[in-house]
Amino acid sequence: MKISVIGAGYVGVVLSAGLARLGHDIILVDINEEKVKTLNEGKAPFYEKGLDELISEVKDKVKATTDLKEAVKATELTFICVGTPSRKEGYMHIEQIKEACLEIGLTLLRKPEKHYVVIKSTVLPGTSEECIKIISEVSGKKFPSEFSFAMNPEFLREGNAVYDFFNQDRIVIGSTDKEIVEKLREVYKGIESPILETKFRDAEMIKYANNAFLATKISFINEIGNICKKLGVDTNIVAKGIGMDFRINPHFFKSGIGFGGSCFPKDVSALAYKATEKGYAPRLLNAVLDINRDQPMKLLTIMDNKLNGDIKGKNIAILGLAFKADTDDVRESPSLQIIKELLLEQANLHVYDPSAMESVKKIFPHLNYTSTAQEAIDNSEIVLLLTEWPEFTELNYGDKHVIDGKNVFDTDKAHLRSKNYEGICW
Ligand code: NAD
């Protein structure tokens, strides 16, 4: 099938490459010319494990462009994968989505064939109906007879996005139009995965509830971890014990400096904000966010105690900037919050990350970025582990103080820890 994908972020690029591997012809649209150029050279515009290889494998089936109208005109189905950022307090912006729908509507004005539009971006319940209204008003066409629409949320994990595309736990398709559901079944043919058909709002809410639950699991284990730390108990062993209960399961049970990234903080805040706006006080969601906000401070408190509160002028190694391993994404990374706090305390930072330094240089251009992790360690008296890159287990820490915020040396690797090692919750 000929498919256009709007937005060459994580979701759009992985989706395009995955669909091309399934045999579809893809036109990937972005307003960012740099991204378009990189993609047309057969490369991914960001680092994600396995993505460069996949893009170069399918480069004849993926064309990138800045011309949205031409892309929609030349294809049968369009996925909208643009960003849905939220303000600090949670209000979600859907301007990028509205803009894309407007452009699609304008194109459909002059396209006689029926077109299929699918939202992949994470949007609050009610947004699909708003999008249908925009496309309908602009194009003068009726849903579902003259154009069709579905909500098909994305559940990929950054760092595992390529694997996740081909191994989806489920595909959720929300629409009141059976025809587009059948189209999407055809699009995903080749992926062995159950398909859940829902209405628009159900599909939109499933994505938020999913992320809210996962974020809750992390804040839960961090809360237990903070209590364990006070009681001299190793949270990792406790997590292992409770994870063996099949009703709980062992995934997402690593305590540490909290969740970051482009999804959990934004999506939980957006859901909490919307609930409040509708007159419901979401106490659990607010607690999840509160715990997460405080978690990086736990690491700083441990460090403060080790240095007797004397941080000014101290050499500190920051190992890890990305919010998780196998990606270069630093959006909402707890590492950045820790760096800000340490700069306020006038510490000398020696910073290393195997893939995310270029993004952070745009935010903090004057930090001392080292060319290896070992160099950062050798120049410092205390080392903070802030991303779970496996290579950080293979370094020589000597007798430096090491504070692990990400379970780099979890229980299985405990024998590799340095003498002066301390975990944030273990
Ligand atoms: P992103 O911000 O990295 O990328 C969005 C891209 O859309 C940008 O490259 C931007 O230039 C482009 N864009 C914006 N307006 C455009 C327009 N009118 N025409 C063409 N391109 C346009 O976003 P992302 O991380 O890929 O996320 C996209 C959506 O998917 C969000 O709603 C997000 O919440 C959701 N999501 C993200 C993930 C993830 O892991 N990143 C996972 C699941 C769902």
Side-chain angles (χ1 to χ4, degrees):
M1 198 182 297
K2 288 196 163 118
I3 297 172
S4 43
V5 174
I6 304 177
Y10 272 84
V11 170
V13 174
V14 173
L15 178 73
S16 298
L19 292 176
R21 160 87 76 75
L22 293 179
H24 302 293
D25 292 305
I26 309 297
I27 306 181
L28 176 50
V29 187
D30 206 287
I31 43 178
N32 181 324
E33 287 177 12
E34 197 67 35
K35 281 189 179 179
V36 168
K37 185 168 167 276
T38 309
L39 283 157
N40 283 332
E41 286 162 0
K43 290 185 279 191
F46 48 83
Y47 174 72
E48 168 70 30
K49 192 172 64 184
L51 188 60
D52 260 335
E53 293 81 344
L54 181 59
I55 297 264
S56 88
E57 179 194 321
V58 298
K59 68 173 188 292
D60 295 340
K61 291 189 89 56
V62 179
K63 296 281 163 268
T65 177
T66 52
D67 194 337
L68 188 152
K69 291 199 180 78
E70 275 308 310
V72 172
K73 212 153 78 183
T75 54
E76 187 179 346
L77 183 143
T78 300
F79 280 102
I80 301 177
C81 305
V82 295
T84 48
S86 71
R87 281 207 207 110
K88 264 270 174 283
E89 73 276 17
Y91 173 79
M92 191 183 79
H93 287 271
I94 55 164
E95 274 66 30
Q96 292 182 29
I97 300 266
K98 285 184 173 167
E99 177 66 29
C101 288
L102 189 83
E103 296 270 314
I104 292 170
L106 287 171
T107 314
L108 297 192
L109 255 178
R110 290 184 184 76
K111 187 176 181 211
E113 301 87 18
K114 183 167 180 178
H115 197 77
Y116 299 84
V117 183
V118 182
I119 289 216
K120 264 269 156 210
S121 303
T122 302
V123 291
L124 285 163
T127 311
S128 293
E129 283 123 309
E130 260 186 80
C131 292
I132 291 174
K133 199 159 166 261
I134 295 173
I135 298 175
S136 204
E137 279 175 6
V138 176
S139 67
K141 295 200 164 171
K142 289 193 191 72
F143 166 83
S145 54
E146 294 171 297
F147 76 95
S148 192
F149 199 95
M151 165 66 196
N152 170 218
E154 177 58 64
F155 298 98
L156 67 79
R157 295 165 300 167
E158 284 185 25
N160 288 282
V162 173
Y163 174 88
D164 286 351
F165 179 83
F166 296 103
N167 300 276
Q168 306 193 23
D169 293 337
R170 72 328 204 167
I171 293 169
V172 176
I173 304 175
S175 185
T176 47
D177 180 20
K178 280 272 163 229
E179 209 181 309
I180 195 162
V181 177
E182 288 318 307
K183 275 272 169 226
L184 283 169
R185 283 184 177 276
E186 208 182 311
V187 166
Y188 289 119
K189 214 168 174 177
I191 294 179
E192 298 293 321
S193 158
I195 292 184
L196 177 67
E197 293 179 26
T198 70
K199 299 198 190 91
F200 291 119
R201 287 181 184 224
D202 305 331
E204 290 162 333
M205 190 63 184
I206 285 169
K207 174 65 191 172
Y208 279 94
N210 204 90
N211 275 359
F213 183 79
L214 293 172
T216 303
K217 240 182 142 177
I218 296 175
S219 279
F220 170 80
I221 199 63
N222 282 336
E223 174 120 299
I224 294 292
N226 295 337
I227 300 169
C228 284
K229 188 81 181 169
K230 299 252 178 236
L231 298 175
V233 176
D234 185 338
T235 320
N236 289 332
I237 314 268
V238 174
K240 193 170 178 184
I242 53 179
M244 288 162 104
D245 185 325
F246 83 97
R247 294 166 302 177
I248 296 177
N249 103 30
H251 304 292
F252 260 65
F253 260 156
K254 291 229 161 167
S255 53
I257 46 175
F259 55 79
S262 67
C263 292
F264 288 179
K266 151 177 105 64
D267 294 347
V268 181
S269 306
L271 186 57
Y273 185 89
K274 194 65 176 175
T276 312
E277 199 183 68
K278 292 280 173 192
Y280 175 78
R283 285 166 296 170
L284 178 61
L285 299 183
N286 285 334
V288 166
L289 292 167
D290 268 359
I291 292 169
N292 198 57
R293 226 170 273 125
D294 285 353
Q295 214 53 23
M297 296 302 151
K298 306 278 173 214
L299 180 135
L300 292 175
T301 306
I302 295 173
M303 192 191 68
D304 224 27
N305 290 340
K306 286 204 187 300
L307 296 174
N308 297 320
D310 186 15
I311 294 173
K312 189 171 174 182
K314 287 283 180 319
N315 288 302
I316 298 172
I318 301 284
L319 296 193
L321 297 167
F323 85 97
K324 67 193 281 200
D326 294 321
T327 169
D328 61 3
D329 200 342
V330 296
R331 290 179 282 185
E332 301 286 327
S333 175
S335 186
L336 302 189
Q337 191 188 338
I338 288 169
I339 289 174
K340 260 185 228 154
E341 295 291 334
L342 292 175
L343 288 178
L344 285 173
E345 302 268 359
Q346 299 180 41
N348 290 330
L349 304 182
H350 303 269
V351 180
Y352 178 80
D353 186 287
S355 76
M357 291 202 287
E358 287 314 311
S359 327
V360 176
K361 279 180 191 169
K362 291 179 199 141
I363 309 167
F364 298 113
H366 304 301
L367 291 179
N368 175 26
Y369 295 92
T370 60
S371 38
T372 63
Q374 194 61 54
E375 187 188 331
I377 296 171
D378 293 344
N379 288 324
S380 306
E381 54 204 276
I382 194 155
V383 180
L384 308 183
L385 297 172
L386 305 182
T387 309
E388 65 281 29
W389 289 104
E391 66 183 73
F392 293 164
T393 58
E394 289 156 13
L395 302 165
N396 179 9
Y397 292 93
D399 55 5
K400 301 268 159 90
H401 286 300
V402 176
I403 306 174
D404 188 351
K406 276 286 193 162
N407 244 313
V408 174
F409 291 96
D410 60 14
T411 313
D412 297 341
K413 299 194 192 87
H415 59 288
L416 298 171
R417 292 172 182 171
S418 84
K419 282 198 299 290
N420 286 318
Y421 170 92
E422 185 162 353
I424 171 171
C425 296
W426 55 95

